[in-house]
Amino acid sequence: MPRTKAKTKTGRDEPSLRRLLRLPVGEPVDLSAYDAAGTPGGPAGKQAGLAAIATLAPRLAELQERLYAASTAGDRRRLLLVLQGMDTSGKGGTVKHVIGHFNPSGCRVRAFKAPTEEEAAHPFLWRVARALPEPGEIGIFDRSHYEDVLIARVRELVPRTEIENRYGEIAGFEKSLADGGVTVVKVFLHLSYEEQRARLLRRLDDPEKHWKFNAGDIEERALWPAYQEAYEIALRRCATDRTPWYLVPADRKWYRNWAISRLLLEHLEDLDPRYPKGDFDVAECRARLLAS
Amino acid sequence: MPRTKAKTKTGRDEPSLRRLLRLPVGEPVDLSAYDAAGTPGGPAGKQAGLAAIATLAPRLAELQERLYAASTAGDRRRLLLVLQGMDTSGKGGTVKHVIGHFNPSGCRVRAFKAPTEEEAAHPFLWRVARALPEPGEIGIFDRSHYEDVLIARVRELVPRTEIENRYGEIAGFEKSLADGGVTVVKVFLHLSYEEQRARLLRRLDDPEKHWKFNAGDIEERALWPAYQEAYEIALRRCATDRTPWYLVPADRKWYRNWAISRLLLEHLEDLDPRYPKGDFDVAECRARLLAS
């Protein structure tokens, strides 16, 4: 029986959001079974959600500082948040929200777009490997190597046999990250077809948002079922106990922000990074400073 | 006569902080002539300063979005904020503050530490050139290529003739950036010797801040006069009309944050980036979306 309560570092019993949102490993994924407007494990509504986020914020900030501080004493652990989702599912908004909790100097954000000529000339994991967080950092990927089994599959950008190989390569790559001290937190922002329409229409309604829109977005939307299927395959084939996928309902922005903050908190609390002890004599240093 | 008032895009007359803080180009620099606790051109006090920052924030956010949006239509302009200053002068705090104004996805932050083995094997500008902002982005350097004429000079890490060459190389490099559409905003955070002592003592007083401290900080502090001289030389030899240096008094954090926000605003307003027009038929797209 999975536990749904976990003793946190703060000593309080809190529901584990990880257990609630983690997609079962090794089982088929049916995205239509998940409510994109749901709020599993979440606060009762938007106001409560914003208040809960405000409570999480200082804990997140302290844990990030500890993670970074620990790295200065040789701790090689780090965290990588991978964000995937359909257009308008809120990847950019999530990046902005998450960064708001942290000291940006300790974060490494990378948005992956269509590969450049140089990137395309390399194996597909090349550009991703170059963007990984260093020890002590929090990395955030807005899209990722998963595009290489999503749009690449739907648009048939490479032969299907190559796509099939990539699932295994991704799993191997992510295992190597985990082995190297990278906590990989993979989040699928689950948006509904209707909410995407509403969000695209809002972009059209505001001339200052037109630059975010292009007619290709509508063509991609027409391929919605193929994308959902491509996601279902990737979410199943590239999930392990150490590198599972989390499904975050994304129709409600406040829930999305709360859930991702909470997921990050749970992972960072598990890492429990510690401030390193100084390797100097405090009294002596104080005396020298006062004399200077 | 330098003008000290400029008509801004918003149509109001506001004092130009750039003119106030820009170090005279081609003249010797005497840092002791500048009050590190001063608030030139600034609000009357801390509370007024925080209120003024709150007023600047939405203007900064919009200008950054416009800069980024313009790049999606081919505008290659970008901005690079270079932060230099003695230990504890607030480079990290400035990064955190500045990023708070912007969408982090459009920012590229890089902290330069002692060169890695790979970096040291390359010419000194190599690692800097790799960290430059892309079109539409705002880059922030926490330390920079200037370390290669600061600590490298004071600690005699390379022969003096090599240091002498570097000033010209830096000036040439920055000219190439300006030619390529990079607005380079170089800020020297001017801290007093006394305030540094107080800040280092505060780190010693808090065990959770010990990781930020090392005994080497006291040794660097003992070289204060040599560093001030190295700064005076660099600030003179690497300033041009297109890539001047700004001296920001840094003893008061609220003034430092206000001044840098304001400097960024003035530069971004001068760039005056525009949202690109969409290359699609809005009515047709709306109809297609509604039918989807």
Side-chain angles (χ1 to χ4, degrees), chain A residues 283-292, chain B residues 193 197-198 200-201 204-205 218 221:
Chain A
E284 187 215 334
C285 284
R286 183 178 288 119
R288 285 173 65 194
L289 274 173
L290 286 170
S292 75
Chain B
Y193 188 67
R197 182 195 301 114
L200 287 172
L201 284 170
L204 280 181
D205 288 341
I218 302 180
R221 176 171 166 79

Side-chain angles (χ1 to χ4, degrees), chain B residues 163-226:
Chain B
I163 297 286
E164 294 300 320
N165 286 337
R166 286 181 177 180
Y167 296 112
E169 288 166 25
I170 288 174
F173 173 66
E174 293 180 355
K175 178 176 185 304
S176 77
L177 297 186
D179 288 344
V182 184
T183 296
V184 184
V185 182
K186 299 184 289 183
V187 170
F188 171 63
L189 297 173
H190 182 46
L191 188 76
S192 69
Y193 188 67
E194 293 69 33
E195 180 64 16
Q196 189 192 53
R197 182 195 301 114
R199 292 185 182 181
L200 287 172
L201 284 170
R202 280 202 291 277
R203 287 186 181 173
L204 280 181
D205 288 341
D206 182 350
E208 296 196 344
K209 289 186 176 166
H210 282 181
W211 66 277
K212 294 185 177 181
F213 189 93
N214 71 72
D217 295 346
I218 302 180
E219 287 152 32
E220 288 289 288
R221 176 171 166 79
L223 297 170
W224 185 277

Side-chain angles (χ1 to χ4, degrees), chain A residues 102 107 127 140 151 168 198 214 228 264 291:
Chain A
F102 298 133
C107 297
R127 63 177 186 162
I140 308 176
I151 190 170
N214 72 72
Q228 298 294 296
L264 291 175

Side-chain angles (χ1 to χ4, degrees), chain B residues 14-251:
Chain B
E14 289 180 318
S16 161
L17 194 64
R18 275 185 290 187
R19 292 198 180 80
L20 268 178
L21 299 185
R22 183 165 45 208
L23 289 171
V25 170
E27 295 177 23
V29 177
D30 174 10
L31 290 177
S32 70
Y34 296 89
D35 180 6
T39 61
K46 183 171 178 179
Q47 290 313 313
L50 297 179
I53 290 169
T55 309
L56 297 177
R59 296 160 71 187
L60 283 164
E62 185 188 332
L63 283 161
Q64 183 217 6
E65 185 172 274
R66 286 181 184 229
L67 185 70
Y68 188 83
S71 77
T72 66
D75 192 333
R76 297 188 58 79
R77 293 178 301 168
R78 62 206 95 164
L79 187 148
L80 173 63
L81 175 65
V82 174
L83 297 170
Q84 285 288 160
M86 299 295 286
D87 282 343
T88 77
S89 61
K91 300 179 292 293
T94 302
V95 172
K96 187 166 170 54
H97 176 78
V98 166
I99 285 270
H101 292 313
F102 297 133
N103 186 328
S105 293
C107 296
R108 194 171 291 245
V109 180
R110 179 74 149 76
F112 291 98
K113 298 177 181 157
T116 63
E117 201 174 329
E118 184 189 21
E119 288 170 349
H122 287 278
F124 77 101
L125 291 170
W126 178 77
R127 63 176 186 163
V128 180
R130 287 160 55 94
L132 291 169
E134 298 287 314
E137 290 184 339
I138 291 181
I140 309 177
F141 283 177
D142 174 349
R143 303 187 189 269
S144 67
H145 43 295
Y146 281 94
E147 293 298 324
D148 297 293
V149 292
L150 292 166
I151 189 170
R153 182 184 183 103
V154 172
R155 293 284 188 179
E156 299 182 348
L157 303 180
V158 296
R160 183 58 59 91
T161 52
E162 167 70 12
I163 297 286
E164 294 300 320
N165 286 337
R166 286 181 177 180
Y167 296 112
E169 288 166 25
I170 288 174
F173 173 66
E174 293 180 355
K175 178 176 185 304
S176 77
L177 297 186
D179 288 344
V182 184
T183 296
V184 184
V185 182
K186 299 184 289 183
V187 170
F188 171 63
L189 297 173
H190 182 46
L191 188 76
S192 69
Y193 188 67
E194 293 69 33
E195 180 64 16
Q196 189 192 53
R197 182 195 301 114
R199 292 185 182 181
L200 287 172
L201 284 170
R202 280 202 291 277
R203 287 186 181 173
L204 280 181
D205 288 341
D206 182 350
E208 296 196 344
K209 289 186 176 166
H210 282 181
W211 66 277
K212 294 185 177 181
F213 189 93
N214 71 72
D217 295 346
I218 302 180
E219 287 152 32
E220 288 289 288
R221 176 171 166 79
L223 297 170
W224 185 277
Y227 272 105
Q228 298 294 298
E229 186 193 8
Y231 266 110
E232 287 173 344
I233 295 168
L235 296 175
R236 174 171 58 82
R237 295 192 54 182
C238 302
T240 69
D241 287 329
R242 292 172 79 200
T243 57
W245 270 98
Y246 299 96
L247 182 146
V248 171
D251 277 10

Side-chain angles (χ1 to χ4, degrees), chain A residues 68-69 95-96 102 105 113 193 197 200-201 204-205 208 210-211 213 221 275-276 280 282 286 289 292, chain B residues 68-69 95-96 102 105 113 193 197 204-205 208 210-211 213 221 275-276 280 282 286 289-290 292:
Chain A
Y68 188 83
V95 172
K96 186 166 169 57
F102 298 133
S105 294
K113 298 178 181 157
Y193 188 67
R197 182 195 302 113
L200 287 172
L201 284 169
L204 279 180
D205 289 341
E208 296 197 344
H210 282 181
W211 66 278
F213 189 92
R221 177 171 164 79
Y275 287 114
F280 48 85
V282 174
R286 183 178 288 119
L289 274 173
S292 75
Chain B
Y68 188 83
V95 172
K96 187 166 170 54
F102 297 133
S105 293
K113 298 177 181 157
Y193 188 67
R197 182 195 301 114
L204 280 181
D205 288 341
E208 296 196 344
H210 282 181
W211 66 277
F213 189 93
R221 176 171 166 79
Y275 287 114
F280 48 86
V282 174
R286 184 177 288 119
L289 274 174
L290 287 169
S292 73

